[in-house]
Amino acid sequence: MLPTERRAEIIQKLEKNNFLELKTLHKELNISMETLRRDVQQLVKDDLVLKEYGGIRINKEQNGESAIERRLDRQLDKKKSIAQKALKEIQDGDCIYLDSGSTTLQIAKGLDSKNNLTIVTNSIPVLIQCMEYGHSLISIGGKIRASEQSLTQFDFLFNFERLNINKGFFCCSGVSAQNGITDYSLEEVETRIRLMNISQQCYLTADSSKINKVVTAKISDAKDFNWFITDDAIDHKDKQALETAGLKVL
């Protein structure tokens, strides 16, 4: 296993467990302690993990959310898979909303294959990605949120009720059949709720690592989304539970 692959696996384990002892990682990864310490040293240098007595934990902002730059390469294959499924749902001439997030950015990267779209977004990376595609771009202006490179609290700048969005693609940090769809930022949640209300079809996009996670603020119940686009690693029982709760899984 390459060092980058090994470090990515360490991050994935930390996202599930929050804190891990070095002796546990040493056994699970089947590598020497010397190699593990080098990996940890690099992850600390990259500002991805925090080293504590006996182990490490994932480095998060004060509200518990990682900055978008740190998330762009995580679960990348799964996010690309999700993007390919989402692109099949988008037709030429659609008016779509792309939420702020690393998964919707992957969707944006494939929109050069579409024609005559109107793209509404609060994501600065999405805007930059789509500028050369020839589509109509609409930014919902407002307060810049640096960690997500997004715009929120836009009421005073944008009369969004005039929009007629055919399909909205939304991100989140937690997906639960019982507790609904959640995210860390109240501002992002407010923005998502308001855009959901003016979208004819609402698509939730999240990789399978976010299933059964519940975080700070609730966006909606599972049934409030028309479709859930995720990767093929979703557990069969989780899929059944979400569909029983009213969320159709693609």
Side-chain angles (χ1 to χ4, degrees):
M1 186 183 295
L2 295 172
T4 52
E5 295 174 335
R6 211 169 44 239
R7 291 163 196 160
E9 186 173 346
I10 292 172
I11 291 296
Q12 289 179 18
K13 289 178 179 294
L14 281 173
E15 287 177 329
K16 294 179 181 178
N17 298 282
N18 192 37
F19 177 84
L20 287 171
E21 294 183 338
L22 291 182
K23 61 182 181 182
T24 301
L25 279 171
H26 162 59
K27 292 179 181 178
E28 290 183 354
L29 296 174
N30 193 28
I31 57 176
S32 68
M33 284 299 295
E34 183 180 356
T35 299
L36 178 58
R37 289 192 181 99
R38 284 200 300 267
D39 285 340
V40 169
Q41 184 178 6
Q42 185 61 50
L43 290 169
V44 170
K45 184 179 179 180
D46 292 341
D47 202 27
L48 291 171
V49 305
L50 298 173
K51 192 174 180 181
E52 298 185 3
Y53 181 76
I56 53 175
R57 70 174 64 250
I58 199 160
N59 186 13
K60 296 181 179 180
E61 297 174 359
Q62 290 182 351
N63 67 353
E65 183 181 29
S66 301
I68 189 171
E69 295 93 339
R70 299 175 193 161
R71 301 202 314 266
L72 287 177
D73 293 332
R74 294 184 199 167
Q75 310 284 354
L76 186 57
D77 289 342
K78 293 180 179 179
K79 290 172 185 177
K80 287 181 177 179
S81 170
I82 293 167
Q84 289 303 310
K85 292 180 182 181
L87 288 167
K88 292 178 182 178
E89 301 295 310
I90 300 171
Q91 307 301 319
D92 291 348
D94 276 346
C95 177
I96 65 171
Y97 174 71
L98 290 183
D99 198 8
S100 63
S102 53
T103 301
T104 43
L105 180 58
Q106 292 301 319
I107 298 173
K109 290 180 178 181
L111 293 178
D112 58 339
S113 64
K114 306 295 180 179
N115 297 305
N116 196 32
L117 297 179
T118 299
I119 303 168
V120 183
T121 187
N122 68 331
S123 168
I124 296 170
V126 167
L127 284 171
I128 294 171
Q129 181 67 43
C130 295
M131 278 182 181
E132 305 300 323
Y133 292 167
H135 302 307
S136 297
L137 289 176
I138 299 175
S139 168
I140 54 173
K143 176 183 175 183
I144 292 178
R145 187 162 173 255
S147 64
E148 281 298 299
Q149 297 181 17
S150 63
L151 299 155
T152 58
Q153 295 182 338
F154 48 82
D155 308 62
F156 59 98
L157 288 176
F158 192 81
N159 191 356
F160 59 92
E161 286 91 351
R162 293 185 181 180
L163 286 173
N164 182 23
I165 297 173
N166 302 123
K167 297 158 187 172
F169 296 86
F170 299 87
C171 295
C172 68
S173 296
V175 181
S176 167
Q178 182 176 358
N179 297 292
I181 314 305
T182 53
D183 196 67
Y184 288 102
S185 166
L186 289 170
E187 292 178 351
E188 294 283 351
V189 165
E190 181 181 355
T191 302
R192 285 169 181 146
I193 290 171
R194 302 186 79 160
L195 268 296
M196 285 175 66
N197 288 337
I198 58 169
S199 297
Q200 294 172 13
Q201 296 183 62
C202 295
Y203 293 81
L204 180 66
T205 62
D207 67 73
S208 54
S209 70
K210 295 179 180 178
I211 297 173
N212 295 323
K213 288 181 65 176
V214 180
V215 299
T216 313
K218 185 173 181 178
I219 301 169
S220 71
D221 291 326
K223 63 180 177 60
D224 294 328
F225 283 91
N226 299 101
W227 300 97
F228 176 33
I229 306 178
T230 190
D231 56 84
D232 294 335
I234 182 173
D235 183 82
H236 180 66
K237 290 183 179 179
D238 290 334
K239 181 179 180 180
Q240 283 187 322
L242 289 168
E243 293 193 331
T244 300
L247 181 58
K248 298 176 183 177
V249 180
L250 288 179

